[in-house]
Amino acid sequence: MKVPEQIQVFSPSTIANVGCGYDVLGFALDGIGERMTVTRRDDGKMVIEEDDRFNLPTNPLKNVATVAATALLREAGINMGFTFAFEKEIHPGSGMGTSASSSAGAVFAVNEMIGLPFNEQELITFAMEGEKLISGKAHADNVGPNILGGFTLVRGYDPLDVLRLPVPEDLYVAIVHPQVVVKTTDAKRMLKSQVKLEQAVNQWGNVGGLVSGLYESDYDLIGRSMVDNIVEPTRKLLIPMYDDVKQAAMDCGAIGASIAGSGPSIFAFTKGKETAEKIKETMQSLYDEVGILAYTYLSKIGKSGVRTLESL
Ligand code: HSE
């Protein structure tokens, strides 16, 4: 089998937690993400191409892509070098899984270039090393949908067990990314390490409800399950106008809305594209009115995960 010397992949952006599923639920966006070109090197080095737009770290020990790819190569017992070049669409630090896109893209591409020794669950494990670098915890709720596409549930971490969930056809998401900095490490650190039993009962009821809603394409059940009484009350304090934006989305007909990953982006689910368009415009204008720069996005749920665009 001839292995490629260069490969270009598309790795989708993802939204984790989905309200009630802290560190376990996530989904991929459709056609929004990053392109990554990975080229084999003869000198055995891991190199990140400089990127003027986002100033990504070029030290291979500090970039999620090289950290994740190195974990894979170490496990494979292969000493090879690669250059990684990124074209990111979403600003890093959005809560839309930009680092997960890079980690997943890197392990997917390198796996292709060494003859596909690893399966999808193993690729998720390597990509989690990038998440560990960026957030202090090797969580799989972003890299799961990156690799598998669609909605995923981390049923368990030890051993890792990431499940694919169904994607309702008419489910759309409107997203707003206000330009404030929220570091995932800080957003994780600020959470209490213990929750009350009553809160836990509500939360696992909602996780079950959301999963059931996805299986049944029951939009109302999906919406009423998007209740997070553990993480959202603390983290929303980091996001300007969170309550107003969420309420406006609900008033426009969202079935549910919450924080995208660790924030600061806010996402709203809708049944159908028209309502999502309306919510996207409303969220944008709320931030415009107070002079906070914000980017907005609209997407279906992306059924495909990371994929090859070109292989040479
Ligand atoms: N589940 C992670 C968190 C996602 O909420 O901290 C980080 O994007």
Side-chain angles (χ1 to χ4, degrees):
M1 173 181 161
K2 186 187 171 310
V3 291
E5 291 290 309
Q6 185 181 71
I7 183 167
Q8 189 183 57
V9 299
F10 175 79
S11 187
S13 292
T14 53
I15 290 184
N17 300 336
V18 204
C20 54
Y22 177 69
D23 275 0
V24 298
L25 280 170
F27 63 89
L29 299 182
D30 187 27
I32 300 175
E34 74 175 57
R35 283 163 191 263
M36 181 189 293
T37 305
V38 183
T39 312
R40 187 155 166 201
R41 299 174 64 89
D42 291 332
D43 60 8
K45 289 186 181 159
M46 296 295 247
V47 175
I48 302 286
E49 238 176 48
E50 282 203 31
D51 143 273
D52 297 337
R53 194 164 166 223
F54 296 126
N55 271 324
L56 302 169
T58 50
N59 179 340
L61 300 175
K62 300 218 165 123
N63 188 297
V64 292
T66 33
V67 165
T70 302
L72 179 149
L73 289 166
R74 196 183 306 118
E75 184 65 23
I78 291 176
N79 188 11
M80 264 188 201
F82 298 92
T83 299
F84 299 81
F86 307 94
E87 281 172 60
K88 280 185 184 285
E89 202 174 333
I90 308 280
H91 289 239
S94 61
M96 293 166 65
T98 50
S99 43
S101 298
S102 299
S103 306
V107 298
F108 177 86
V110 170
N111 193 45
E112 298 270 323
M113 294 170 90
I114 61 170
L116 297 168
F118 297 112
N119 65 27
E120 288 174 330
Q121 293 283 322
E122 289 165 329
L123 293 185
I124 293 173
T125 313
F126 301 128
M128 284 165 68
E129 289 301 313
E131 297 292 74
K132 190 172 171 189
L133 176 76
I134 212 79
S135 75
K137 182 169 179 241
H139 54 95
D141 50 343
N142 285 111
V143 291
N146 262 127
I147 299 284
L148 302 178
F151 264 97
T152 62
L153 169 74
V154 186
R155 203 276 315 152
Y157 274 96
D158 188 17
L160 186 71
D161 188 7
V162 186
L163 312 178
R164 279 192 171 91
L165 301 173
V167 174
E169 269 315 312
D170 281 340
L171 192 59
Y172 281 79
V173 59
I175 305 155
V176 64
H177 175 200
Q179 295 298 288
V180 291
V181 177
V182 175
K183 283 191 162 181
T184 306
T185 25
D186 297 337
K188 276 202 172 299
R189 229 180 268 139
M190 74 190 292
L191 300 176
K192 291 190 189 125
S193 57
Q194 295 192 328
V195 296
K196 291 198 178 120
L197 184 60
E198 193 186 328
Q199 288 176 304
V201 169
N202 282 333
Q203 203 86 355
W204 58 56
N206 281 317
V207 171
L210 183 46
V211 170
S212 178
L214 293 173
Y215 270 93
E216 298 292 325
S217 288
D218 182 336
Y219 295 87
D220 183 57
L221 175 57
I222 293 169
R224 65 178 197 273
S225 304
M226 283 178 61
V227 179
D228 167 21
N229 57 23
I230 295 177
V231 174
E232 184 192 53
T234 307
R235 282 189 172 170
K236 72 177 186 177
L237 306 174
L238 301 174
I239 304 171
M241 297 167 55
Y242 179 78
D243 286 330
D244 295 339
V245 174
K246 178 172 173 173
Q247 190 56 51
M250 297 308 290
D251 291 345
C252 287
I255 58 171
S258 193
I259 302 170
S262 57
S265 295
I266 303 167
F267 76 98
F269 275 150
T270 63
K271 182 173 184 206
K273 190 171 181 184
E274 212 176 302
T275 312
E277 296 271 16
K278 203 163 94 190
I279 292 173
K280 177 175 165 270
E281 280 166 28
T282 303
M283 296 194 298
Q284 179 81 63
S285 61
L286 280 174
Y287 282 119
D288 287 349
E289 275 164 24
V290 294
I292 296 176
L293 179 64
Y295 299 108
T296 50
Y297 305 90
L298 189 152
S299 177
K300 284 196 93 161
I301 310 305
K303 288 188 180 164
S304 313
V306 56
R307 50 205 177 263
T308 303
L309 297 177
E310 199 176 14
S311 179
L312 301 172

